[in-house]
Amino acid sequence: MSEPFSVPVTVRGYETDVQGHLNQSVYLNYAEHARWSLLRAAGVSQSALIGSGVGPVALETTISYKRELLAGDEVEVTCAFAWGEGKTFRIEQTVRKTDGTVAAEITAVGGLLDLEARKLVPDPREHFRKLASDPGLFGL
């Protein structure tokens, strides 16, 4: 697995529920933000992916909530790719407060969809290697 990439996020008041906690669906937004930030940092844009004939797909996402987040909390959202053999990969993410408290752990299974054939590409690592200016951010 690659070393985790991370992005800072501040919990905004409008993202909270009636108890004042970060709404459960927003954790997915934070995770997605970190994933796209990692892609951009590695030199892979959405247009480059589409231009190469592939698009990322989420196949499964699991969130384990550990501690509450409130409006104004500062967090780091990490993102690390874990590669196996085959068409899919795992993305491990942690939402951590600045004091080190883990608020949530997110695990996703993803792949790259061939936009013409509408099937997963056989080796997504190769596509990321070819497109990235810094494939090390993907652990490649």
Side-chain angles (χ1 to χ4, degrees):
M1 186 181 317
S2 60
E3 282 295 312
F5 175 85
S6 68
V7 294
V9 177
T10 301
V11 176
R12 295 163 287 246
Y14 63 83
E15 297 172 325
T16 60
D17 60 21
V18 296
Q19 290 94 354
H21 303 130
L22 183 65
N23 182 282
Q24 62 183 346
S25 66
V26 179
Y27 286 87
L28 293 172
N29 290 335
Y30 288 5
E32 186 79 2
H33 172 63
R35 289 192 294 267
W36 279 107
S37 295
L38 184 152
L39 265 67
R40 278 192 310 278
V44 180
S45 66
Q46 283 181 312
S47 60
L49 279 168
I50 300 304
S52 72
V54 298
V57 292
L59 303 170
E60 177 182 318
T61 304
T62 303
I63 304 173
S64 178
Y65 303 99
K66 305 292 187 180
R67 295 286 184 271
E68 67 182 358
L69 290 176
L70 306 172
D73 282 346
E74 301 283 337
V75 298
E76 287 285 324
V77 184
T78 67
C79 185
F81 279 67
W83 303 97
E85 300 301 318
K87 299 177 181 183
T88 64
F89 49 86
R90 263 189 4 266
I91 304 171
E92 300 288 343
Q93 298 185 262
T94 302
V95 180
R96 182 177 285 112
K97 295 168 80 171
T98 55
D99 68 3
T101 303
V102 173
E105 295 171 336
I106 303 162
T107 302
V109 176
L112 285 178
L113 184 70
D114 179 314
L115 297 175
E116 189 172 313
R118 308 307 288 179
K119 295 183 182 221
L120 294 178
V121 301
D123 188 359
R125 291 174 297 186
E126 280 308 307
H127 284 273
F128 282 118
R129 266 194 201 100
K130 288 178 186 173
L131 291 169
S133 57
D134 185 359
L137 289 175
F138 294 108
L140 301 172

PDB file of all heavy atoms in Angstrom, residues 28-65:
ATOM      1  N   LEU A  28     -18.595  10.716   2.803  1.00  0.00           N
ATOM      2  CA  LEU A  28     -18.319  10.262   1.432  1.00  0.00           C
ATOM      3  C   LEU A  28     -17.783  11.402   0.576  1.00  0.00           C
ATOM      4  O   LEU A  28     -16.882  11.192  -0.253  1.00  0.00           O
ATOM      5  CB  LEU A  28     -19.578   9.675   0.797  1.00  0.00           C
ATOM      6  CG  LEU A  28     -20.082   8.372   1.418  1.00  0.00           C
ATOM      7  CD1 LEU A  28     -21.432   7.998   0.832  1.00  0.00           C
ATOM      8  CD2 LEU A  28     -19.071   7.259   1.234  1.00  0.00           C
ATOM      9  N   ASN A  29     -18.332  12.602   0.766  1.00  0.00           N
ATOM     10  CA  ASN A  29     -17.820  13.761   0.026  1.00  0.00           C
ATOM     11  C   ASN A  29     -16.364  14.043   0.388  1.00  0.00           C
ATOM     12  O   ASN A  29     -15.542  14.332  -0.483  1.00  0.00           O
ATOM     13  CB  ASN A  29     -18.663  15.002   0.307  1.00  0.00           C
ATOM     14  CG  ASN A  29     -20.040  14.929  -0.294  1.00  0.00           C
ATOM     15  OD1 ASN A  29     -20.277  14.228  -1.265  1.00  0.00           O
ATOM     16  ND2 ASN A  29     -20.972  15.651   0.296  1.00  0.00           N
ATOM     17  N   TYR A  30     -16.049  13.969   1.674  1.00  0.00           N
ATOM     18  CA  TYR A  30     -14.668  14.200   2.111  1.00  0.00           C
ATOM     19  C   TYR A  30     -13.741  13.150   1.504  1.00  0.00           C
ATOM     20  O   TYR A  30     -12.631  13.470   1.051  1.00  0.00           O
ATOM     21  CB  TYR A  30     -14.565  14.159   3.636  1.00  0.00           C
ATOM     22  CG  TYR A  30     -15.151  15.332   4.378  1.00  0.00           C
ATOM     23  CD1 TYR A  30     -15.851  16.352   3.751  1.00  0.00           C
ATOM     24  CD2 TYR A  30     -15.009  15.407   5.751  1.00  0.00           C
ATOM     25  CE1 TYR A  30     -16.374  17.420   4.464  1.00  0.00           C
ATOM     26  CE2 TYR A  30     -15.526  16.472   6.476  1.00  0.00           C
ATOM     27  CZ  TYR A  30     -16.215  17.466   5.830  1.00  0.00           C
ATOM     28  OH  TYR A  30     -16.731  18.520   6.547  1.00  0.00           O
ATOM     29  N   ALA A  31     -14.176  11.889   1.502  1.00  0.00           N
ATOM     30  CA  ALA A  31     -13.359  10.819   0.930  1.00  0.00           C
ATOM     31  C   ALA A  31     -13.132  11.046  -0.559  1.00  0.00           C
ATOM     32  O   ALA A  31     -12.014  10.913  -1.061  1.00  0.00           O
ATOM     33  CB  ALA A  31     -14.021   9.464   1.178  1.00  0.00           C
ATOM     34  N   GLU A  32     -14.187  11.413  -1.258  1.00  0.00           N
ATOM     35  CA  GLU A  32     -14.089  11.677  -2.696  1.00  0.00           C
ATOM     36  C   GLU A  32     -13.163  12.865  -2.965  1.00  0.00           C
ATOM     37  O   GLU A  32     -12.349  12.841  -3.893  1.00  0.00           O
ATOM     38  CB  GLU A  32     -15.488  11.936  -3.264  1.00  0.00           C
ATOM     39  CG  GLU A  32     -15.531  12.073  -4.756  1.00  0.00           C
ATOM     40  CD  GLU A  32     -15.482  10.737  -5.481  1.00  0.00           C
ATOM     41  OE1 GLU A  32     -15.446   9.681  -4.840  1.00  0.00           O
ATOM     42  OE2 GLU A  32     -15.462  10.777  -6.723  1.00  0.00           O
ATOM     43  N   HIS A  33     -13.276  13.899  -2.159  1.00  0.00           N
ATOM     44  CA  HIS A  33     -12.404  15.072  -2.296  1.00  0.00           C
ATOM     45  C   HIS A  33     -10.933  14.663  -2.154  1.00  0.00           C
ATOM     46  O   HIS A  33     -10.081  15.078  -2.952  1.00  0.00           O
ATOM     47  CB  HIS A  33     -12.783  16.119  -1.247  1.00  0.00           C
ATOM     48  CG  HIS A  33     -11.850  17.274  -1.176  1.00  0.00           C
ATOM     49  ND1 HIS A  33     -11.649  18.141  -2.230  1.00  0.00           N
ATOM     50  CD2 HIS A  33     -11.033  17.690  -0.174  1.00  0.00           C
ATOM     51  CE1 HIS A  33     -10.754  19.055  -1.874  1.00  0.00           C
ATOM     52  NE2 HIS A  33     -10.365  18.805  -0.632  1.00  0.00           N
ATOM     53  N   ALA A  34     -10.635  13.828  -1.167  1.00  0.00           N
ATOM     54  CA  ALA A  34      -9.250  13.376  -0.966  1.00  0.00           C
ATOM     55  C   ALA A  34      -8.772  12.535  -2.146  1.00  0.00           C
ATOM     56  O   ALA A  34      -7.622  12.662  -2.584  1.00  0.00           O
ATOM     57  CB  ALA A  34      -9.128  12.596   0.341  1.00  0.00           C
ATOM     58  N   ARG A  35      -9.639  11.673  -2.676  1.00  0.00           N
ATOM     59  CA  ARG A  35      -9.240  10.827  -3.821  1.00  0.00           C
ATOM     60  C   ARG A  35      -8.928  11.675  -5.043  1.00  0.00           C
ATOM     61  O   ARG A  35      -7.901  11.487  -5.697  1.00  0.00           O
ATOM     62  CB  ARG A  35     -10.331   9.802  -4.135  1.00  0.00           C
ATOM     63  CG  ARG A  35     -10.436   8.724  -3.078  1.00  0.00           C
ATOM     64  CD  ARG A  35     -11.291   7.558  -3.522  1.00  0.00           C
ATOM     65  NE  ARG A  35     -12.684   7.859  -3.722  1.00  0.00           N
ATOM     66  CZ  ARG A  35     -13.634   7.722  -2.803  1.00  0.00           C
ATOM     67  NH1 ARG A  35     -13.329   7.314  -1.575  1.00  0.00           N
ATOM     68  NH2 ARG A  35     -14.887   7.989  -3.089  1.00  0.00           N
ATOM     69  N   TRP A  36      -9.806  12.638  -5.358  1.00  0.00           N
ATOM     70  CA  TRP A  36      -9.553  13.479  -6.526  1.00  0.00           C
ATOM     71  C   TRP A  36      -8.345  14.397  -6.292  1.00  0.00           C
ATOM     72  O   TRP A  36      -7.592  14.699  -7.226  1.00  0.00           O
ATOM     73  CB  TRP A  36     -10.789  14.290  -6.914  1.00  0.00           C
ATOM     74  CG  TRP A  36     -11.748  13.446  -7.704  1.00  0.00           C
ATOM     75  CD1 TRP A  36     -12.934  12.947  -7.281  1.00  0.00           C
ATOM     76  CD2 TRP A  36     -11.565  12.976  -9.044  1.00  0.00           C
ATOM     77  NE1 TRP A  36     -13.509  12.193  -8.283  1.00  0.00           N
ATOM     78  CE2 TRP A  36     -12.697  12.198  -9.372  1.00  0.00           C
ATOM     79  CE3 TRP A  36     -10.571  13.137  -9.999  1.00  0.00           C
ATOM     80  CZ2 TRP A  36     -12.858  11.584 -10.613  1.00  0.00           C
ATOM     81  CZ3 TRP A  36     -10.729  12.524 -11.236  1.00  0.00           C
ATOM     82  CH2 TRP A  36     -11.854  11.758 -11.530  1.00  0.00           C
ATOM     83  N   SER A  37      -8.125  14.814  -5.063  1.00  0.00           N
ATOM     84  CA  SER A  37      -6.936  15.619  -4.754  1.00  0.00           C
ATOM     85  C   SER A  37      -5.669  14.809  -4.977  1.00  0.00           C
ATOM     86  O   SER A  37      -4.683  15.323  -5.498  1.00  0.00           O
ATOM     87  CB  SER A  37      -6.987  16.121  -3.304  1.00  0.00           C
ATOM     88  OG  SER A  37      -8.062  17.010  -3.133  1.00  0.00           O
ATOM     89  N   LEU A  38      -5.690  13.537  -4.591  1.00  0.00           N
ATOM     90  CA  LEU A  38      -4.539  12.662  -4.833  1.00  0.00           C
ATOM     91  C   LEU A  38      -4.303  12.513  -6.335  1.00  0.00           C
ATOM     92  O   LEU A  38      -3.162  12.622  -6.799  1.00  0.00           O
ATOM     93  CB  LEU A  38      -4.759  11.286  -4.200  1.00  0.00           C
ATOM     94  CG  LEU A  38      -3.582  10.318  -4.293  1.00  0.00           C
ATOM     95  CD1 LEU A  38      -3.603   9.344  -3.137  1.00  0.00           C
ATOM     96  CD2 LEU A  38      -3.544   9.563  -5.593  1.00  0.00           C
ATOM     97  N   LEU A  39      -5.361  12.269  -7.091  1.00  0.00           N
ATOM     98  CA  LEU A  39      -5.200  12.139  -8.540  1.00  0.00           C
ATOM     99  C   LEU A  39      -4.574  13.398  -9.135  1.00  0.00           C
ATOM    100  O   LEU A  39      -3.634  13.315  -9.933  1.00  0.00           O
ATOM    101  CB  LEU A  39      -6.542  11.838  -9.224  1.00  0.00           C
ATOM    102  CG  LEU A  39      -6.826  10.361  -9.486  1.00  0.00           C
ATOM    103  CD1 LEU A  39      -7.015   9.563  -8.223  1.00  0.00           C
ATOM    104  CD2 LEU A  39      -8.000  10.191 -10.417  1.00  0.00           C
ATOM    105  N   ARG A  40      -5.096  14.569  -8.744  1.00  0.00           N
ATOM    106  CA  ARG A  40      -4.538  15.831  -9.265  1.00  0.00           C
ATOM    107  C   ARG A  40      -3.077  15.985  -8.874  1.00  0.00           C
ATOM    108  O   ARG A  40      -2.245  16.383  -9.688  1.00  0.00           O
ATOM    109  CB  ARG A  40      -5.351  17.025  -8.776  1.00  0.00           C
ATOM    110  CG  ARG A  40      -6.596  17.287  -9.594  1.00  0.00           C
ATOM    111  CD  ARG A  40      -7.238  18.639  -9.282  1.00  0.00           C
ATOM    112  NE  ARG A  40      -7.432  18.887  -7.861  1.00  0.00           N
ATOM    113  CZ  ARG A  40      -8.450  18.428  -7.142  1.00  0.00           C
ATOM    114  NH1 ARG A  40      -9.376  17.681  -7.707  1.00  0.00           N
ATOM    115  NH2 ARG A  40      -8.553  18.708  -5.866  1.00  0.00           N
ATOM    116  N   ALA A  41      -2.736  15.674  -7.616  1.00  0.00           N
ATOM    117  CA  ALA A  41      -1.343  15.787  -7.153  1.00  0.00           C
ATOM    118  C   ALA A  41      -0.433  14.841  -7.930  1.00  0.00           C
ATOM    119  O   ALA A  41       0.740  15.147  -8.149  1.00  0.00           O
ATOM    120  CB  ALA A  41      -1.260  15.502  -5.651  1.00  0.00           C
ATOM    121  N   ALA A  42      -0.967  13.702  -8.355  1.00  0.00           N
ATOM    122  CA  ALA A  42      -0.184  12.736  -9.128  1.00  0.00           C
ATOM    123  C   ALA A  42      -0.132  13.106 -10.606  1.00  0.00           C
ATOM    124  O   ALA A  42       0.537  12.432 -11.388  1.00  0.00           O
ATOM    125  CB  ALA A  42      -0.773  11.339  -8.962  1.00  0.00           C
ATOM    126  N   GLY A  43      -0.850  14.174 -10.990  1.00  0.00           N
ATOM    127  CA  GLY A  43      -0.819  14.626 -12.379  1.00  0.00           C
ATOM    128  C   GLY A  43      -1.904  14.026 -13.251  1.00  0.00           C
ATOM    129  O   GLY A  43      -1.808  14.056 -14.474  1.00  0.00           O
ATOM    130  N   VAL A  44      -2.953  13.483 -12.637  1.00  0.00           N
ATOM    131  CA  VAL A  44      -4.034  12.849 -13.395  1.00  0.00           C
ATOM    132  C   VAL A  44      -5.294  13.693 -13.252  1.00  0.00           C
ATOM    133  O   VAL A  44      -5.847  13.810 -12.154  1.00  0.00           O
ATOM    134  CB  VAL A  44      -4.310  11.409 -12.887  1.00  0.00           C
ATOM    135  CG1 VAL A  44      -5.440  10.770 -13.689  1.00  0.00           C
ATOM    136  CG2 VAL A  44      -3.050  10.567 -12.945  1.00  0.00           C
ATOM    137  N   SER A  45      -5.752  14.256 -14.345  1.00  0.00           N
ATOM    138  CA  SER A  45      -6.970  15.068 -14.330  1.00  0.00           C
ATOM    139  C   SER A  45      -8.154  14.228 -14.801  1.00  0.00           C
ATOM    140  O   SER A  45      -7.985  13.176 -15.414  1.00  0.00           O
ATOM    141  CB  SER A  45      -6.813  16.282 -15.243  1.00  0.00           C
ATOM    142  OG  SER A  45      -6.707  15.854 -16.596  1.00  0.00           O
ATOM    143  N   GLN A  46      -9.350  14.729 -14.509  1.00  0.00           N
ATOM    144  CA  GLN A  46     -10.551  14.049 -14.997  1.00  0.00           C
ATOM    145  C   GLN A  46     -10.538  13.984 -16.519  1.00  0.00           C
ATOM    146  O   GLN A  46     -10.867  12.957 -17.103  1.00  0.00           O
ATOM    147  CB  GLN A  46     -11.808  14.772 -14.520  1.00  0.00           C
ATOM    148  CG  GLN A  46     -12.143  14.510 -13.077  1.00  0.00           C
ATOM    149  CD  GLN A  46     -13.409  15.231 -12.641  1.00  0.00           C
ATOM    150  OE1 GLN A  46     -13.563  16.418 -12.910  1.00  0.00           O
ATOM    151  NE2 GLN A  46     -14.287  14.532 -11.964  1.00  0.00           N
ATOM    152  N   SER A  47     -10.138  15.076 -17.158  1.00  0.00           N
ATOM    153  CA  SER A  47     -10.128  15.094 -18.623  1.00  0.00           C
ATOM    154  C   SER A  47      -9.106  14.112 -19.190  1.00  0.00           C
ATOM    155  O   SER A  47      -9.338  13.510 -20.236  1.00  0.00           O
ATOM    156  CB  SER A  47      -9.888  16.508 -19.150  1.00  0.00           C
ATOM    157  OG  SER A  47      -8.648  17.009 -18.704  1.00  0.00           O
ATOM    158  N   ALA A  48      -7.977  13.922 -18.505  1.00  0.00           N
ATOM    159  CA  ALA A  48      -6.979  12.951 -18.959  1.00  0.00           C
ATOM    160  C   ALA A  48      -7.523  11.528 -18.854  1.00  0.00           C
ATOM    161  O   ALA A  48      -7.304  10.701 -19.750  1.00  0.00           O
ATOM    162  CB  ALA A  48      -5.687  13.075 -18.164  1.00  0.00           C
ATOM    163  N   LEU A  49      -8.230  11.246 -17.769  1.00  0.00           N
ATOM    164  CA  LEU A  49      -8.832   9.917 -17.628  1.00  0.00           C
ATOM    165  C   LEU A  49      -9.839   9.666 -18.751  1.00  0.00           C
ATOM    166  O   LEU A  49      -9.757   8.650 -19.449  1.00  0.00           O
ATOM    167  CB  LEU A  49      -9.543   9.793 -16.275  1.00  0.00           C
ATOM    168  CG  LEU A  49      -8.691   9.479 -15.067  1.00  0.00           C
ATOM    169  CD1 LEU A  49      -9.483   9.687 -13.784  1.00  0.00           C
ATOM    170  CD2 LEU A  49      -8.162   8.065 -15.128  1.00  0.00           C
ATOM    171  N   ILE A  50     -10.765  10.593 -18.918  1.00  0.00           N
ATOM    172  CA  ILE A  50     -11.792  10.445 -19.949  1.00  0.00           C
ATOM    173  C   ILE A  50     -11.147  10.378 -21.333  1.00  0.00           C
ATOM    174  O   ILE A  50     -11.526   9.564 -22.162  1.00  0.00           O
ATOM    175  CB  ILE A  50     -12.809  11.607 -19.879  1.00  0.00           C
ATOM    176  CG1 ILE A  50     -13.500  11.646 -18.517  1.00  0.00           C
ATOM    177  CG2 ILE A  50     -13.828  11.531 -21.014  1.00  0.00           C
ATOM    178  CD1 ILE A  50     -14.196  10.388 -18.096  1.00  0.00           C
ATOM    179  N   GLY A  51     -10.137  11.218 -21.555  1.00  0.00           N
ATOM    180  CA  GLY A  51      -9.432  11.223 -22.831  1.00  0.00           C
ATOM    181  C   GLY A  51      -8.722   9.909 -23.125  1.00  0.00           C
ATOM    182  O   GLY A  51      -8.534   9.547 -24.286  1.00  0.00           O
ATOM    183  N   SER A  52      -8.342   9.189 -22.093  1.00  0.00           N
ATOM    184  CA  SER A  52      -7.685   7.893 -22.295  1.00  0.00           C
ATOM    185  C   SER A  52      -8.704   6.758 -22.407  1.00  0.00           C
ATOM    186  O   SER A  52      -8.337   5.598 -22.554  1.00  0.00           O
ATOM    187  CB  SER A  52      -6.695   7.601 -21.159  1.00  0.00           C
ATOM    188  OG  SER A  52      -7.375   7.300 -19.967  1.00  0.00           O
ATOM    189  N   GLY A  53      -9.994   7.116 -22.307  1.00  0.00           N
ATOM    190  CA  GLY A  53     -11.046   6.128 -22.503  1.00  0.00           C
ATOM    191  C   GLY A  53     -11.479   5.378 -21.263  1.00  0.00           C
ATOM    192  O   GLY A  53     -12.175   4.370 -21.368  1.00  0.00           O
ATOM    193  N   VAL A  54     -11.073   5.875 -20.079  1.00  0.00           N
ATOM    194  CA  VAL A  54     -11.463   5.196 -18.840  1.00  0.00           C
ATOM    195  C   VAL A  54     -12.037   6.194 -17.845  1.00  0.00           C
ATOM    196  O   VAL A  54     -11.780   7.388 -17.933  1.00  0.00           O
ATOM    197  CB  VAL A  54     -10.282   4.450 -18.179  1.00  0.00           C
ATOM    198  CG1 VAL A  54      -9.747   3.358 -19.090  1.00  0.00           C
ATOM    199  CG2 VAL A  54      -9.185   5.397 -17.756  1.00  0.00           C
ATOM    200  N   GLY A  55     -12.785   5.662 -16.898  1.00  0.00           N
ATOM    201  CA  GLY A  55     -13.314   6.469 -15.809  1.00  0.00           C
ATOM    202  C   GLY A  55     -13.329   5.647 -14.544  1.00  0.00           C
ATOM    203  O   GLY A  55     -13.594   4.443 -14.581  1.00  0.00           O
ATOM    204  N   PRO A  56     -13.038   6.273 -13.397  1.00  0.00           N
ATOM    205  CA  PRO A  56     -13.043   5.542 -12.138  1.00  0.00           C
ATOM    206  C   PRO A  56     -14.469   5.191 -11.712  1.00  0.00           C
ATOM    207  O   PRO A  56     -15.395   5.968 -11.939  1.00  0.00           O
ATOM    208  CB  PRO A  56     -12.395   6.512 -11.155  1.00  0.00           C
ATOM    209  CG  PRO A  56     -12.643   7.861 -11.734  1.00  0.00           C
ATOM    210  CD  PRO A  56     -12.697   7.683 -13.217  1.00  0.00           C
ATOM    211  N   VAL A  57     -14.621   4.012 -11.121  1.00  0.00           N
ATOM    212  CA  VAL A  57     -15.915   3.590 -10.596  1.00  0.00           C
ATOM    213  C   VAL A  57     -15.746   3.080  -9.167  1.00  0.00           C
ATOM    214  O   VAL A  57     -14.744   2.446  -8.845  1.00  0.00           O
ATOM    215  CB  VAL A  57     -16.592   2.506 -11.465  1.00  0.00           C
ATOM    216  CG1 VAL A  57     -17.011   3.069 -12.809  1.00  0.00           C
ATOM    217  CG2 VAL A  57     -15.699   1.297 -11.652  1.00  0.00           C
ATOM    218  N   ALA A  58     -16.733   3.393  -8.352  1.00  0.00           N
ATOM    219  CA  ALA A  58     -16.784   2.875  -6.982  1.00  0.00           C
ATOM    220  C   ALA A  58     -17.636   1.622  -7.001  1.00  0.00           C
ATOM    221  O   ALA A  58     -18.769   1.634  -7.504  1.00  0.00           O
ATOM    222  CB  ALA A  58     -17.376   3.912  -6.042  1.00  0.00           C
ATOM    223  N   LEU A  59     -17.101   0.534  -6.469  1.00  0.00           N
ATOM    224  CA  LEU A  59     -17.807  -0.735  -6.457  1.00  0.00           C
ATOM    225  C   LEU A  59     -18.348  -1.078  -5.074  1.00  0.00           C
ATOM    226  O   LEU A  59     -19.329  -1.804  -4.949  1.00  0.00           O
ATOM    227  CB  LEU A  59     -16.884  -1.850  -6.947  1.00  0.00           C
ATOM    228  CG  LEU A  59     -16.308  -1.615  -8.349  1.00  0.00           C
ATOM    229  CD1 LEU A  59     -15.221  -2.623  -8.650  1.00  0.00           C
ATOM    230  CD2 LEU A  59     -17.415  -1.681  -9.383  1.00  0.00           C
ATOM    231  N   GLU A  60     -17.697  -0.547  -4.050  1.00  0.00           N
ATOM    232  CA  GLU A  60     -18.113  -0.821  -2.675  1.00  0.00           C
ATOM    233  C   GLU A  60     -17.472   0.221  -1.772  1.00  0.00           C
ATOM    234  O   GLU A  60     -16.318   0.586  -1.971  1.00  0.00           O
ATOM    235  CB  GLU A  60     -17.621  -2.214  -2.286  1.00  0.00           C
ATOM    236  CG  GLU A  60     -17.896  -2.634  -0.876  1.00  0.00           C
ATOM    237  CD  GLU A  60     -17.309  -4.011  -0.587  1.00  0.00           C
ATOM    238  OE1 GLU A  60     -17.411  -4.908  -1.445  1.00  0.00           O
ATOM    239  OE2 GLU A  60     -16.730  -4.171   0.502  1.00  0.00           O
ATOM    240  N   THR A  61     -18.222   0.684  -0.777  1.00  0.00           N
ATOM    241  CA  THR A  61     -17.683   1.629   0.199  1.00  0.00           C
ATOM    242  C   THR A  61     -18.195   1.253   1.584  1.00  0.00           C
ATOM    243  O   THR A  61     -19.386   1.018   1.764  1.00  0.00           O
ATOM    244  CB  THR A  61     -18.100   3.082  -0.123  1.00  0.00           C
ATOM    245  OG1 THR A  61     -17.698   3.401  -1.449  1.00  0.00           O
ATOM    246  CG2 THR A  61     -17.468   4.062   0.850  1.00  0.00           C
ATOM    247  N   THR A  62     -17.278   1.206   2.538  1.00  0.00           N
ATOM    248  CA  THR A  62     -17.624   0.914   3.922  1.00  0.00           C
ATOM    249  C   THR A  62     -17.089   2.037   4.798  1.00  0.00           C
ATOM    250  O   THR A  62     -15.925   2.421   4.661  1.00  0.00           O
ATOM    251  CB  THR A  62     -17.003  -0.420   4.389  1.00  0.00           C
ATOM    252  OG1 THR A  62     -17.441  -1.451   3.509  1.00  0.00           O
ATOM    253  CG2 THR A  62     -17.408  -0.748   5.816  1.00  0.00           C
ATOM    254  N   ILE A  63     -17.940   2.562   5.676  1.00  0.00           N
ATOM    255  CA  ILE A  63     -17.526   3.616   6.599  1.00  0.00           C
ATOM    256  C   ILE A  63     -17.707   3.109   8.017  1.00  0.00           C
ATOM    257  O   ILE A  63     -18.785   2.623   8.376  1.00  0.00           O
ATOM    258  CB  ILE A  63     -18.352   4.906   6.420  1.00  0.00           C
ATOM    259  CG1 ILE A  63     -18.281   5.410   4.980  1.00  0.00           C
ATOM    260  CG2 ILE A  63     -17.863   5.988   7.397  1.00  0.00           C
ATOM    261  CD1 ILE A  63     -19.207   6.577   4.709  1.00  0.00           C
ATOM    262  N   SER A  64     -16.659   3.243   8.803  1.00  0.00           N
ATOM    263  CA  SER A  64     -16.740   2.929  10.222  1.00  0.00           C
ATOM    264  C   SER A  64     -16.599   4.246  10.985  1.00  0.00           C
ATOM    265  O   SER A  64     -15.537   4.883  10.939  1.00  0.00           O
ATOM    266  CB  SER A  64     -15.617   1.960  10.598  1.00  0.00           C
ATOM    267  OG  SER A  64     -15.659   1.683  11.973  1.00  0.00           O
ATOM    268  N   TYR A  65     -17.679   4.661  11.641  1.00  0.00           N
ATOM    269  CA  TYR A  65     -17.681   5.920  12.382  1.00  0.00           C
ATOM    270  C   TYR A  65     -17.098   5.663  13.774  1.00  0.00           C
ATOM    271  O   TYR A  65     -17.546   4.773  14.486  1.00  0.00           O
ATOM    272  CB  TYR A  65     -19.102   6.474  12.504  1.00  0.00           C
ATOM    273  CG  TYR A  65     -19.757   6.688  11.156  1.00  0.00           C
ATOM    274  CD1 TYR A  65     -20.638   5.746  10.647  1.00  0.00           C
ATOM    275  CD2 TYR A  65     -19.477   7.810  10.396  1.00  0.00           C
ATOM    276  CE1 TYR A  65     -21.238   5.929   9.408  1.00  0.00           C
ATOM    277  CE2 TYR A  65     -20.076   8.001   9.159  1.00  0.00           C
ATOM    278  CZ  TYR A  65     -20.950   7.057   8.673  1.00  0.00           C
ATOM    279  OH  TYR A  65     -21.542   7.238   7.450  1.00  0.00           O
TER     280      TYR A  65
END
